[in-house]
Amino acid sequence: MKIVVTGGAGFIGGNFIHYYLKAHPEDRVICIDKLTYAGNLSTLAPVMNNDKFRFVKADICDRETVFALFEEEQPDAVINFAAESHVDRSIEDPEVFLRTNILGTATLMDACRVFGNVRYHQVSTDEVYGDLPLNRPDLLFTENTPIHTSSPYSSSKAGADLLVQAYNRTYGLPVTISRCSNNYGPYHFPEKLIPLMIVNCLYDKPLPVYGEGLNVRDWLYVEDHCKAIDLIVRKGRIGEVYNVGGHNEMRNIDIVKLIIRELGKSEDLITYVTDRKGHDLRYAIDPTKIHEELGWLPETCFEEGIKKTIKWYLENRSWWEEIINGEYQHYYEKMYNNR
Ligand code: NAD
Ligand code: TYD
């Protein structure tokens, strides 16, 4: 099989490429990535010389380039990870989110239609369901939960999901969608909660907790997400949505305290800062469908996954130091100074 993976220089796409080339050494993988601030070629360095892998620097919204690549490569499947992915950035400047996340998705699906009704998988998020109350632990997101978004980011992802379903119904494009909860693991860009707290702890910098730190996220080790996507692409039912999550709900403040403990630092580093606008209270996935239909279950529990993740950041300082010493400094100052 020949697959196109978009956004492969990012966190989940990069992990997916590493996983996929090991799991399916007979397949060929073509990665399209624009290398935005979130894309990092050093994430792909270990596979750059693999003759089953090709990297193409391109924008998924660039119709001409995408179509030319499809014509040349004639892929069997496309897995779309490419996106603007950070909620806080979407609150500052929504436009690029609409462009990449919605128009980029349409461009890729148009290429799929033109070059042989190519199998298309959309990597979506549980954030399209909005949030759940903190005091109703019985409520979980199912695939039938209505779309009800809070941020420009989640709205752009929801817009893309609706388009994917429309392309299936209108053109018969063979699509699937996965909606996963928060991922963590290696190669996670340091603007996100877990890597930000690890990196700040290592520099003894304040740990900025939004609001009171009581918001709940449902964390999944990134490799478990990659395995779920692989299963859906191979065995999922066309036209279906699959929720992906491992029943691992945690409050932000508890994650931060755990990282502090693991790194032997002091809780005095915790600094409560102004809350995020429109901050979703709680995400929680019901993964019954993917478990019952495809046999998927998470393999890495949080206790093990967070230890592996912290170890990876300790052993791969050059990967993240290069990021935080660059443009990221301006981002950090803008978002966190005097917050
Ligand atoms: P990321 O921000 O780490 O990586 C995104 C990648 O996409 C980067 O390499 C970037 O260069 C590339 N990209 C951005 N715009 C592009 C464009 N116009 N053309 C080509 N490439 C472009 O994101 P991530 O955390 O790896 O998320 C990957 C996907 O998974 C996203 O679609 C996101 O919505 C979804 N998702 C993420 C999470 C999570 O916890 N991170 C959870 C569920 C779903
Ligand atoms: P994030 O990693 O941005 O993922 P998402 O917003 O997509 O769930 O944030 C996870 C949670 O952590 C979210 O409730 C916001 C909170 N948070 C902080 O408290 N401080 C921070 O510096 C960041 C980046 C996030």
Side-chain angles (χ1 to χ4, degrees):
M1 195 154 86
K2 200 190 266 192
I3 63 164
V4 165
V5 171
T6 69
F11 165 46
I12 308 177
N15 276 283
F16 183 81
I17 288 172
H18 292 306
Y19 156 77
Y20 193 91
L21 286 169
K22 279 197 200 104
H24 306 288
E26 67 292 354
D27 285 5
R28 185 167 147 77
V29 176
I30 300 123
C31 170
I32 305 179
D33 197 297
K34 188 182 176 184
L35 298 180
T36 66
Y37 79 92
N40 199 334
L41 266 191
S42 60
T43 296
L44 293 173
V47 296
M48 275 301 185
N49 291 326
N50 184 329
D51 59 8
K52 296 287 189 173
F53 179 70
R54 175 179 176 194
F55 179 80
V56 179
K57 181 175 187 300
D59 185 335
I60 57 164
C61 304
D62 178 350
R63 194 163 280 262
E64 212 175 298
T65 305
V66 168
F67 275 50
L69 187 70
F70 273 59
E71 182 159 34
E72 181 193 344
E73 291 283 0
Q74 301 287 333
D76 301 299
V78 175
I79 307 176
N80 181 25
F81 293 89
E84 288 293 334
S85 68
H86 192 34
V87 172
D88 292 325
R89 287 186 193 251
S90 83
I91 294 168
E92 293 300 302
D93 184 7
E95 191 176 336
V96 67
F97 285 75
L98 308 185
R99 187 177 173 279
T100 290
N101 298 1
I102 301 178
L103 292 179
T105 297
T107 307
L108 290 169
M109 290 194 296
D110 284 338
C112 287
R113 288 202 295 134
V114 168
F115 295 97
N117 218 27
V118 178
R119 176 81 171 80
Y120 180 88
H121 180 75
Q122 177 72 359
V123 180
S124 186
T125 165
D126 61 354
E127 300 192 28
V128 301
Y129 299 123
D131 63 354
L132 297 163
L134 292 174
N135 61 356
R136 289 289 307 273
D138 54 311
L139 294 180
L140 303 172
F141 296 137
T142 75
E143 290 79 1
N144 297 322
T145 300
I147 302 283
H148 185 78
T149 55
S150 314
S151 70
Y153 163 68
S154 55
S155 304
S156 68
K157 293 296 289 184
D161 281 14
L162 295 176
L163 264 184
V164 173
Q165 285 168 327
Y167 272 58
N168 174 245
R169 167 111 188 220
T170 305
Y171 306 116
L173 193 71
V175 306
T176 42
I177 297 173
S178 51
R179 294 185 179 142
C180 191
S181 56
N182 286 60
N183 284 213
Y184 68 100
Y187 304 111
H188 204 179
F189 195 83
E191 69 190 349
K192 304 283 170 61
L193 178 76
I194 288 182
L196 186 145
M197 296 300 165
I198 295 174
V199 165
N200 282 19
C201 262
L202 290 174
Y203 281 116
D204 292 311
K205 276 178 67 173
L207 307 176
V209 172
Y210 298 169
E212 295 178 83
L214 301 179
N215 303 59
V216 170
R217 297 292 183 264
D218 185 357
W219 294 94
L220 184 71
Y221 192 62
V222 61
E223 197 176 43
D224 282 322
H225 184 195
C226 296
K227 288 178 180 166
I229 292 170
D230 189 16
L231 258 182
I232 296 168
V233 170
R234 279 158 198 273
K235 300 194 178 138
R237 281 187 296 134
I238 296 302
E240 293 292 314
V241 174
Y242 292 91
N243 282 356
V244 183
H247 288 299
N248 184 57
E249 289 179 53
M250 290 183 73
R251 300 188 309 177
N252 294 339
I253 189 65
D254 296 328
I255 301 249
V256 174
K257 287 184 176 169
L258 194 145
I259 292 170
I260 290 172
R261 272 200 308 280
E262 287 292 327
L263 288 171
K265 301 289 177 177
S266 159
E267 289 191 6
D268 293 344
L269 289 175
I270 294 173
T271 312
Y272 293 93
V273 300
T274 308
D275 210 351
R276 174 185 280 171
K277 292 189 182 95
H279 198 173
D280 279 337
L281 293 172
R282 170 175 166 254
Y283 303 143
I285 282 273
D286 178 353
T288 306
K289 180 174 172 180
I290 189 168
H291 174 56
E292 289 185 350
E293 280 191 22
L294 305 179
W296 178 86
L297 276 178
E299 290 166 25
T300 301
C301 67
F302 190 78
E303 291 66 29
E304 182 194 345
I306 195 72
K307 282 195 168 73
K308 281 208 292 204
T309 303
I310 291 174
K311 187 163 177 280
W312 188 88
Y313 279 83
L314 286 169
E315 288 172 355
N316 292 274
R317 284 187 88 112
S318 61
W319 182 87
W320 54 266
E321 276 177 341
E322 202 176 307
I323 295 170
I324 63 167
N325 290 330
E327 173 57 30
Y328 182 76
Q329 283 181 4
H330 301 290
Y331 166 80
Y332 198 88
E333 277 166 29
K334 184 174 158 211
M335 300 303 270
Y336 292 97
N337 279 9
N338 309 314
R339 181 166 178 153

